[in-house]
Amino acid sequence: MKGITDVFFDLDHTLWDFDKNSELTFERIFKTYNVDLPLKEFLEVYLPVNSKYWKLFREGKIEQENLRFQRLNEVFEILKYKSSEQLVNDLSQAYIDHLPNHNHLFPDTFEVLTYLQNKYKLHIITNGFYEVQHKKLGNSKLTPYFKTVTTSEDAGVKKPNKLIFEFALDLAKTKNSSSLMIGDNLEADIEGARASGMEAIFFGKEPTYEGLQIQRLSELKTML
């Protein structure tokens, strides 16, 4: 990784354990609103539905409020759980309110960030919503590690649009040729970064992907 001065991370599913924190949030709000659904059964349906709606959101086919309402409403319909529009709206808002209060991170996050910040300037690029993402960073004590944080609300576009990467590079006062993106989504993080001229490391397991990839954050210490 010669010439790299700036390392950009995705947040959800890369540093911040979205699935674990989401599960804890649903467990709490289901109790509060007396939603009588087995959590495991709910999550098995919710996770792929949520991914579908986030893809539509990235592509600009739905707005933020539609994403928040429709993903939950569709899951209830699939599970044949009787709910009202008011309940779905209340749950959607409660989910957003409580989600940043859970702080589970992927293994070795602090160790790796501490190691990297002594060698590089660190940054965040996320498609998440501004207020929610900054709360996550603050509550999980990640904020001090990062020089800049770029959300899709800041940039006005979402990953993989190369404009969000260009926005982040400008904010960081650096250039694409000396920058590296690390993220869990091949389309949004990796293809988007590479299209903007950045190097990229995929955090996940995809046998057909021929680029750089890791399955644990600790592997970055031997690569960077």
Side-chain angles (χ1 to χ4, degrees):
M1 289 294 173
K2 292 182 179 180
I4 297 296
T5 59
D6 293 75
V7 177
F8 294 78
F9 281 91
D10 174 47
L11 181 58
D12 295 332
H13 303 286
T14 300
L15 300 174
W16 199 81
D17 192 341
F18 184 91
D19 290 346
K20 177 64 174 178
N21 294 321
S22 183
E23 178 180 348
L24 291 170
T25 303
F26 277 119
E27 183 177 29
R28 174 173 179 171
I29 66 175
F30 277 12
K31 289 179 181 177
T32 301
Y33 287 89
N34 298 312
V35 176
D36 187 21
L37 271 176
L39 188 60
K40 182 178 179 181
E41 180 181 349
F42 168 82
L43 290 171
E44 286 176 352
V45 178
Y46 175 81
L47 292 176
V49 169
N50 185 49
S51 295
K52 179 184 74 172
Y53 278 100
W54 268 101
K55 187 173 190 302
L56 292 172
F57 181 69
R58 287 198 305 270
E59 295 170 349
K61 296 178 179 178
I62 58 171
E63 297 300 322
Q64 173 180 321
E65 292 305 315
N66 296 118
L67 181 151
R68 291 177 173 177
F69 179 87
Q70 294 296 342
R71 62 184 175 185
L72 198 52
N73 191 60
E74 182 172 318
V75 173
F76 285 158
E77 289 179 351
I78 292 171
L79 293 174
K80 295 181 171 52
Y81 181 80
K82 292 183 180 181
S83 64
S84 64
E85 184 174 329
Q86 185 63 53
L87 176 62
V88 175
N89 280 322
D90 289 345
L91 287 169
S92 298
Q93 186 58 52
Y95 178 79
I96 296 300
D97 291 341
H98 292 291
L99 182 63
N101 296 329
H102 299 286
N103 306 309
H104 290 273
L105 304 173
F106 281 100
D108 307 313
T109 293
F110 288 120
E111 177 186 343
V112 170
L113 292 178
T114 300
Y115 168 82
L116 292 176
Q117 74 172 354
N118 292 322
K119 302 177 68 176
Y120 308 95
K121 295 176 183 177
L122 305 182
H123 313 273
I124 291 286
I125 307 178
T126 171
N127 277 352
F129 308 122
Y130 178 92
E131 183 179 359
V132 176
Q133 299 305 79
H134 278 275
K135 282 183 179 178
K136 290 176 184 176
L137 288 165
N139 291 346
S140 59
K141 297 180 171 53
L142 288 177
T143 300
Y145 289 96
F146 299 102
K147 299 291 186 182
T148 68
V149 176
T150 296
T151 72
S152 54
E153 286 188 79
D154 297 316
V157 292
K158 309 170 193 72
K159 298 180 289 184
N161 191 316
K162 69 176 184 178
L163 293 179
I164 191 173
F165 295 96
E166 292 173 0
F167 182 97
L169 291 168
D170 288 342
L171 185 63
K173 296 181 173 58
T174 189
K175 53 188 179 181
N176 55 5
S177 59
S178 59
S179 298
L180 166 71
M181 179 70 193
I182 301 167
D184 71 290
N185 189 294
L186 280 173
E187 177 190 19
D189 300 314
I190 307 308
E191 293 176 12
R194 296 180 74 175
S196 67
M198 298 169 66
E199 183 57 87
I201 297 177
F202 174 55
F203 179 40
K205 186 176 182 180
E206 178 50 66
T208 61
Y209 178 64
E210 297 179 354
L212 297 171
Q213 59 182 307
I214 58 171
Q215 292 179 45
R216 294 184 62 86
L217 291 173
S218 58
E219 295 176 57
L220 291 172
K221 293 176 67 175
T222 62
M223 301 174 70
L224 297 172

